[in-house]
Amino acid sequence: RIALETPDLNPGCVTDLVTLGTPHGGTDLVELYPWLELASRVAPDVARPINKVADGVGEAAEDLRPGSAFLKKLNARNRPGGVRYFVAFGQRSLLPEDDRKVLQDELTRLLEQNEPTAEPRRRLFRLLASDELHNGDGVVSTARARLSNATREQAFDLDHFDLIHLDGSPPETGQVFHWIVLSLNGRDDKEPR
């Protein structure tokens, strides 16, 4: 998006942009990135699956905060003519609702009993209550994955990992890949050309 929406960087040959679970409006989970990076250094084997999503995000954490100067500037830019924007986002949290509720209840109990002003606990409680986990794919909320005036958008009953790794084995058999092909061909029917 930055390259396409910056006249000096736009190569002029791009006709379509497909985004998968992209936090166009930011994500509250930026609070977790320092912990994810620490986990990757302390227990690299355990953190390897998480790093597939988190790699490089720590450096961009400030930019991905909802309402950041970067996102305000990016989302205020004009879109180039002749480029179609296709936006796919997931609607299944990485943390099932029942598990999220149990964690939230436990944190509430801890906050009431032990150091109710402890900032790390308050942050974790806010994260467990976030739209990313409740109304999103576990990493990006549905509302923040949307992009105003997109050519086409599609919600999938997938979590962030399944969405960005293109569900299906091989990927071209999955629903996301299928939707991309149909969208690029300008079709709304069920069969790609």
Side-chain angles (χ1 to χ4, degrees):
R1 277 191 62 200
I2 293 170
L4 288 175
E5 296 172 9
T6 304
D8 293 344
L9 298 177
N10 188 337
C13 61
V14 176
T15 59
D16 300 288
L17 175 69
V18 177
T19 66
L20 304 175
T22 301
H24 297 289
T27 176
D28 283 334
L29 296 190
V30 295
E31 299 287 341
L32 287 180
Y33 297 142
W35 296 104
L36 294 175
E37 288 193 358
L38 177 63
S40 70
R41 290 187 183 107
V42 174
D45 291 337
V46 174
R48 190 167 289 126
I50 295 170
N51 287 338
K52 290 179 181 179
V53 171
D55 186 40
V57 178
E59 294 82 356
E62 284 304 312
D63 290 341
L64 291 178
R65 275 186 204 288
S68 71
F70 169 79
L71 286 174
K72 284 180 183 176
K73 183 177 177 182
L74 178 63
N75 289 321
R77 290 182 179 183
N78 292 322
R79 304 239 175 92
V83 177
R84 299 182 303 171
Y85 285 70
F86 301 103
V87 177
F89 52 90
Q91 293 185 310
R92 185 177 54 206
S93 180
L94 294 167
L95 185 62
E97 185 67 22
D98 291 344
D99 293 345
R100 188 183 69 80
K101 180 73 171 117
V102 167
L103 285 171
Q104 195 168 5
D105 290 346
E106 183 63 17
L107 278 172
T108 300
R109 187 184 63 76
L110 286 171
L111 286 171
E112 290 170 354
Q113 294 177 357
N114 303 309
E115 304 175 53
T117 60
E119 184 59 28
R121 287 191 179 115
R122 279 199 311 265
R123 282 186 190 170
L124 188 53
F125 185 76
R126 281 195 311 265
L127 290 173
L128 285 173
S130 73
D131 269 354
E132 283 75 9
L133 297 180
H134 188 63
N135 297 312
D137 66 10
V139 177
V140 181
S141 74
T142 299
R144 292 183 182 142
R146 288 192 151 121
L147 185 62
S148 64
N149 300 318
T151 307
R152 188 172 181 194
E153 67 176 31
Q154 180 68 43
F156 292 93
D157 184 30
L158 298 171
D159 64 35
H160 193 75
F161 291 102
D162 289 337
L163 182 73
I164 66 172
H165 291 111
L166 297 177
D167 69 316
S169 183
E172 57 270 16
T173 64
Q175 60 183 331
V176 178
F177 191 93
H178 187 76
W179 175 80
I180 292 170
V181 171
L182 289 173
S183 296
L184 293 175
N185 284 320
R187 298 182 60 182
D188 291 325
D189 57 353
K190 303 292 182 206
E191 294 299 320
R193 291 182 192 173

